[in-house]
Amino acid sequence: MGYNEEAFIKILKSKGLKVTNQRKAVLKALSSKPDQHLTAEEIYELVRVDTPEIGIATIYRTIQLLCELGLIDKLNLDDGYVRYEIGKEDKNEHHHHHLICVNCGKVLKFDDDLLDELEKQVEKTTGFIVHDHELKMYGYCRDCQNNRK
Amino acid sequence: MGYNEEAFIKILKSKGLKVTNQRKAVLKALSSKPDQHLTAEEIYELVRVDTPEIGIATIYRTIQLLCELGLIDKLNLDDGYVRYEIGKEDKNEHHHHHLICVNCGKVLKFDDDLLDELEKQVEKTTGFIVHDHELKMYGYCRDCQNNRK
DNA sequence: GTTTATGCAAATATTTTGCAACGTT
DNA sequence: AACGTTGCAAAATATTTGCATAAAC
């Protein structure tokens, strides 16, 4: 897993998009933090270590592009920042979801198998065809159960 | 159901907060649109019909207060606006979740019973104690399945 | 050489804040 | 009368856009 430059170049070329250092740098930066949920500003700081001339506008434009290509996922923790994380390389893998500690802000991922059943139930009941879902659970992590509550 | 002014006044007083026309107007406006997901700007427009002197800052401050009191819920549809909707009066009622049509933007609610099981499983696996959850499903509504796809 | 992408700065959009005036208790 | 709340305008924050320059094809 990790950063696969060759595959990325192939995707860009197949869409008629140009392969630039900036685009490679942004994807590489996100790939280097697979378990974090970075804001645009954090990605900017991270990319600037190796690519100091990059502008924040390019960060935003590249993030949007990577989302459209399905290489990264958008995550909203309702803290005023939109966050991004590197996606799963295996597209058939189950989506992961997020456990958010309301005390310390820690975010854990978890995989789910149960939601497929719920999706089917929803499709039957409402006529909606579900393509994707996002689940967030809020609570207290192991550490914060002792400190608080 | 609907807008219960007496109960609202009781809650405000019990917290040492003042009962103002603006606060009543905002809660009343949200109560009048129980199935909609309104932005701050939309709430502002709605409240100004009867309370034209209200300022947008008061809308934001009141929305935040109503969220803290648990009377309204925040909803993020990732369209650039934070939205609000009137909460359930019965606190023991199951949470509802949202089906979002990626074609026309329509938002449907649905109730769930299956997530309690998932919560328990998560608590066992991760040690997290879950207090709340939010689920969004993205797909195509019945109407849009014919037009598109 | 043509086209697309970048960097910068300015613009936009949403939400927050300071403060004097006002309304509620 | 005391204190919390409001309205206004200004500030802060996050993201987008126009445009000339630069890089990729």
Side-chain angles (χ1 to χ4, degrees), chain B residues 5-134:
Chain B
E5 186 165 307
E6 310 237 318
F8 183 41
I9 291 173
K10 205 173 280 183
I11 292 169
L12 288 174
K13 291 201 166 163
S14 75
K15 306 256 175 188
L17 297 163
K18 288 182 176 167
V19 178
T20 66
N21 289 330
Q22 290 89 334
R23 285 174 176 169
K24 290 191 283 185
V26 171
L27 184 60
K28 200 172 171 185
L30 277 155
S31 300
S32 75
K33 306 279 180 184
D35 287 314
Q36 289 187 38
H37 322 84
L38 303 170
T39 64
E41 201 65 37
E42 287 165 350
I43 296 166
Y44 184 44
E45 295 305 324
L46 198 55
V47 172
R48 281 209 292 181
V49 175
D50 288 324
T51 311
E53 71 281 6
I54 201 166
I56 188 79
T58 300
I59 299 289
Y60 279 104
R61 285 185 282 228
T62 306
I63 283 168
Q64 197 177 312
L65 179 71
L66 295 175
C67 273
E68 283 162 14
L69 296 176
L71 298 172
I72 64 174
D73 292 321
K74 208 177 185 177
L75 174 64
N76 200 315
L77 301 180
D78 291 314
D79 62 350
Y81 299 93
V82 178
R83 291 162 184 281
Y84 301 88
E85 58 185 357
I86 193 84
K88 292 276 146 272
E89 58 278 14
D90 177 359
K91 291 293 167 194
N92 292 324
E93 198 174 315
H94 273 108
H95 247 275
H96 69 258
H97 298 293
H98 296 96
L99 285 167
I100 301 152
C101 180
V102 296
N103 190 225
C104 71
K106 196 185 296 160
V107 179
L108 264 73
K109 298 180 180 182
F110 70 96
D111 292 316
D112 95 77
D113 294 305
L114 273 81
L115 256 65
D116 292 337
E117 196 182 331
L118 185 54
E119 273 193 12
K120 274 182 211 130
Q121 189 182 301
V122 163
E123 293 190 346
K124 209 179 291 174
T125 314
T126 66
F128 239 83
I129 292 182
V130 179
H131 284 207
D132 196 12
H133 57 236
E134 184 193 354

Side-chain angles (χ1 to χ4, degrees), chain A residues 17-18 20 22-23 53-55 58 61:
Chain A
L17 297 164
K18 288 182 176 168
T20 67
Q22 289 90 335
R23 284 174 177 169
E53 72 279 8
I54 201 166
T58 299
R61 284 185 284 229

Side-chain angles (χ1 to χ4, degrees), chain A residues 72-83:
Chain A
I72 64 174
D73 292 320
K74 208 175 185 176
L75 174 65
N76 201 314
L77 301 181
D78 291 313
D79 62 350
Y81 299 92
V82 178
R83 291 163 184 281

Side-chain angles (χ1 to χ4, degrees), chain A:
Chain A
M1 71 163 298
Y3 174 52
N4 184 339
E5 185 165 308
E6 309 236 319
F8 182 40
I9 292 174
K10 205 173 279 182
I11 293 169
L12 289 175
K13 291 202 166 164
S14 76
K15 305 257 176 188
L17 297 164
K18 288 182 176 168
V19 179
T20 67
N21 289 330
Q22 289 90 335
R23 284 174 177 169
K24 289 191 284 185
V26 170
L27 184 60
K28 201 173 171 183
L30 276 156
S31 300
S32 75
K33 306 280 181 183
D35 287 314
Q36 289 187 36
H37 322 84
L38 303 169
T39 64
E41 202 65 38
E42 287 165 351
I43 296 166
Y44 183 45
E45 295 306 325
L46 198 55
V47 172
R48 280 210 293 182
V49 175
D50 288 324
T51 311
E53 72 279 8
I54 201 166
I56 188 79
T58 299
I59 299 288
Y60 278 104
R61 284 185 284 229
T62 305
I63 283 168
Q64 197 176 312
L65 180 71
L66 295 174
C67 273
E68 283 163 13
L69 295 175
L71 297 171
I72 64 174
D73 292 320
K74 208 175 185 176
L75 174 65
N76 201 314
L77 301 181
D78 291 313
D79 62 350
Y81 299 92
V82 178
R83 291 163 184 281
Y84 300 89
E85 59 186 358
I86 193 83
K88 291 276 149 269
E89 58 278 12
D90 177 358
K91 291 293 165 194
N92 293 325
E93 199 173 315
H94 271 108
H95 247 274
H96 68 259
H97 298 292
H98 296 96
L99 284 167
I100 301 151
C101 181
V102 296
N103 191 227
C104 71
K106 196 185 297 162
V107 179
L108 265 73
K109 299 179 181 184
F110 71 96
D111 292 316
D112 95 78
D113 294 306
L114 274 81
L115 256 64
D116 292 337
E117 196 182 332
L118 185 54
E119 273 193 11
K120 274 181 212 129
Q121 190 181 300
V122 164
E123 294 191 346
K124 208 180 292 176
T125 315
T126 65
F128 239 84
I129 292 182
V130 179
H131 284 207
D132 197 13
H133 57 236
E134 185 193 353
L135 175 61
K136 290 181 276 190
M137 290 194 173
Y138 298 91
Y140 290 90
C141 72
R142 214 187 288 263
D143 294 342
C144 289
Q145 283 161 40
N146 308 321
N147 308 352
R148 219 177 118 98
K149 151 79 212 210

